[in-house]
mmCIF file of all heavy atoms in Angstrom:
data_model
loop_
_atom_site.group_PDB
_atom_site.id
_atom_site.type_symbol
_atom_site.label_atom_id
_atom_site.label_comp_id
_atom_site.label_asym_id
_atom_site.label_seq_id
_atom_site.Cartn_x
_atom_site.Cartn_y
_atom_site.Cartn_z
ATOM 1 N N GLY D 50 97.853 107.874 91.258
ATOM 2 C CA GLY D 50 97.338 108.745 92.308
ATOM 3 C C GLY D 50 98.002 108.566 93.656
ATOM 4 O O GLY D 50 97.648 109.243 94.624
ATOM 5 N N SER D 51 98.998 107.674 93.750
ATOM 6 C CA SER D 51 99.688 107.452 95.020
ATOM 7 C C SER D 51 100.864 108.424 95.160
ATOM 8 O O SER D 51 101.280 109.060 94.193
ATOM 9 C CB SER D 51 100.209 106.016 95.100
ATOM 10 O OG SER D 51 101.243 105.823 94.130
ATOM 11 N N GLU D 52 101.390 108.519 96.368
ATOM 12 C CA GLU D 52 102.560 109.363 96.591
ATOM 13 C C GLU D 52 103.737 108.871 95.752
ATOM 14 O O GLU D 52 104.499 109.672 95.199
ATOM 15 C CB GLU D 52 102.923 109.380 98.076
ATOM 16 C CG GLU D 52 103.996 110.374 98.414
ATOM 17 C CD GLU D 52 104.213 110.547 99.910
ATOM 18 O OE1 GLU D 52 103.658 109.780 100.711
ATOM 19 O OE2 GLU D 52 104.965 111.471 100.265
ATOM 20 N N GLN D 53 103.901 107.552 95.626
ATOM 21 C CA GLN D 53 104.970 107.001 94.797
ATOM 22 C C GLN D 53 104.790 107.401 93.334
ATOM 23 O O GLN D 53 105.755 107.674 92.639
ATOM 24 C CB GLN D 53 105.025 105.472 94.918
ATOM 25 C CG GLN D 53 105.497 104.990 96.255
ATOM 26 C CD GLN D 53 104.344 104.887 97.270
ATOM 27 O OE1 GLN D 53 103.181 105.169 96.960
ATOM 28 N NE2 GLN D 53 104.664 104.476 98.480
ATOM 29 N N ASP D 54 103.543 107.432 92.871
ATOM 30 C CA ASP D 54 103.233 107.868 91.506
ATOM 31 C C ASP D 54 103.716 109.303 91.311
ATOM 32 O O ASP D 54 104.368 109.628 90.316
ATOM 33 C CB ASP D 54 101.724 107.766 91.268
ATOM 34 C CG ASP D 54 101.280 108.280 89.912
ATOM 35 O OD1 ASP D 54 101.977 108.051 88.909
ATOM 36 O OD2 ASP D 54 100.202 108.916 89.858
ATOM 37 N N PHE D 55 103.424 110.165 92.271
ATOM 38 C CA PHE D 55 103.839 111.564 92.188
ATOM 39 C C PHE D 55 105.364 111.684 92.144
ATOM 40 O O PHE D 55 105.923 112.362 91.299
ATOM 41 C CB PHE D 55 103.278 112.345 93.388
ATOM 42 C CG PHE D 55 103.607 113.802 93.390
ATOM 43 C CD1 PHE D 55 102.916 114.691 92.587
ATOM 44 C CD2 PHE D 55 104.595 114.300 94.210
ATOM 45 C CE1 PHE D 55 103.204 116.047 92.585
ATOM 46 C CE2 PHE D 55 104.901 115.660 94.226
ATOM 47 C CZ PHE D 55 104.204 116.536 93.411
ATOM 48 N N ILE D 56 106.045 110.991 93.049
ATOM 49 C CA ILE D 56 107.494 111.058 93.128
ATOM 50 C C ILE D 56 108.138 110.509 91.856
ATOM 51 O O ILE D 56 109.037 111.120 91.287
ATOM 52 C CB ILE D 56 108.016 110.301 94.368
ATOM 53 C CG1 ILE D 56 107.592 111.023 95.645
ATOM 54 C CG2 ILE D 56 109.529 110.144 94.326
ATOM 55 C CD1 ILE D 56 107.788 110.203 96.921
ATOM 56 N N LEU D 57 107.676 109.365 91.396
ATOM 57 C CA LEU D 57 108.289 108.677 90.265
ATOM 58 C C LEU D 57 107.973 109.327 88.919
ATOM 59 O O LEU D 57 108.849 109.477 88.081
ATOM 60 C CB LEU D 57 107.840 107.214 90.261
ATOM 61 C CG LEU D 57 108.520 106.276 89.298
ATOM 62 C CD1 LEU D 57 109.991 106.145 89.633
ATOM 63 C CD2 LEU D 57 107.864 104.902 89.362
ATOM 64 N N HIS D 58 106.731 109.724 88.719
ATOM 65 C CA HIS D 58 106.308 110.194 87.403
ATOM 66 C C HIS D 58 106.240 111.708 87.244
ATOM 67 O O HIS D 58 106.196 112.202 86.122
ATOM 68 C CB HIS D 58 104.953 109.581 87.044
ATOM 69 C CG HIS D 58 105.007 108.097 86.960
ATOM 70 N ND1 HIS D 58 104.284 107.280 87.786
ATOM 71 C CD2 HIS D 58 105.737 107.274 86.163
ATOM 72 C CE1 HIS D 58 104.555 106.015 87.496
ATOM 73 N NE2 HIS D 58 105.436 105.993 86.513
ATOM 74 N N VAL D 59 106.212 112.441 88.347
ATOM 75 C CA VAL D 59 106.089 113.899 88.267
ATOM 76 C C VAL D 59 107.365 114.570 88.768
ATOM 77 O O VAL D 59 107.950 115.407 88.094
ATOM 78 C CB VAL D 59 104.869 114.402 89.082
ATOM 79 C CG1 VAL D 59 104.786 115.917 89.054
ATOM 80 C CG2 VAL D 59 103.592 113.776 88.547
ATOM 81 N N GLY D 60 107.802 114.205 89.943
ATOM 82 C CA GLY D 60 108.968 114.826 90.570
ATOM 83 C C GLY D 60 108.523 115.846 91.600
ATOM 84 O O GLY D 60 107.567 116.575 91.381
ATOM 85 N N ARG D 61 109.211 115.877 92.713
ATOM 86 C CA ARG D 61 108.778 116.769 93.782
ATOM 87 C C ARG D 61 109.769 117.877 94.119
ATOM 88 O O ARG D 61 109.549 118.657 95.023
ATOM 89 C CB ARG D 61 108.435 115.968 95.030
ATOM 90 C CG ARG D 61 109.592 115.211 95.629
ATOM 91 C CD ARG D 61 109.126 114.370 96.790
ATOM 92 N NE ARG D 61 110.265 113.922 97.553
ATOM 93 C CZ ARG D 61 110.250 113.682 98.832
ATOM 94 N NH1 ARG D 61 109.153 113.841 99.509
ATOM 95 N NH2 ARG D 61 111.323 113.271 99.447
ATOM 96 N N ARG D 62 110.871 117.957 93.391
ATOM 97 C CA ARG D 62 111.891 118.978 93.681
ATOM 98 C C ARG D 62 111.901 120.075 92.618
ATOM 99 O O ARG D 62 111.879 119.792 91.428
ATOM 100 C CB ARG D 62 113.267 118.338 93.753
ATOM 101 C CG ARG D 62 113.465 117.481 94.965
ATOM 102 C CD ARG D 62 114.841 116.829 94.975
ATOM 103 N NE ARG D 62 115.078 116.106 96.202
ATOM 104 C CZ ARG D 62 114.624 114.894 96.466
ATOM 105 N NH1 ARG D 62 113.914 114.266 95.566
ATOM 106 N NH2 ARG D 62 114.880 114.305 97.614
ATOM 107 N N THR D 63 111.988 121.302 93.102
ATOM 108 C CA THR D 63 112.147 122.478 92.243
ATOM 109 C C THR D 63 113.423 123.161 92.710
ATOM 110 O O THR D 63 113.563 123.463 93.887
ATOM 111 C CB THR D 63 110.948 123.428 92.398
ATOM 112 O OG1 THR D 63 109.738 122.706 92.171
ATOM 113 C CG2 THR D 63 111.040 124.593 91.423
#
Side-chain angles (χ1 to χ4, degrees):
S51 67
E52 188 171 9
Q53 291 86 0
D54 176 39
F55 182 78
I56 292 167
L57 189 64
H58 298 117
V59 177
R61 63 184 194 150
R62 289 178 175 80
T63 306

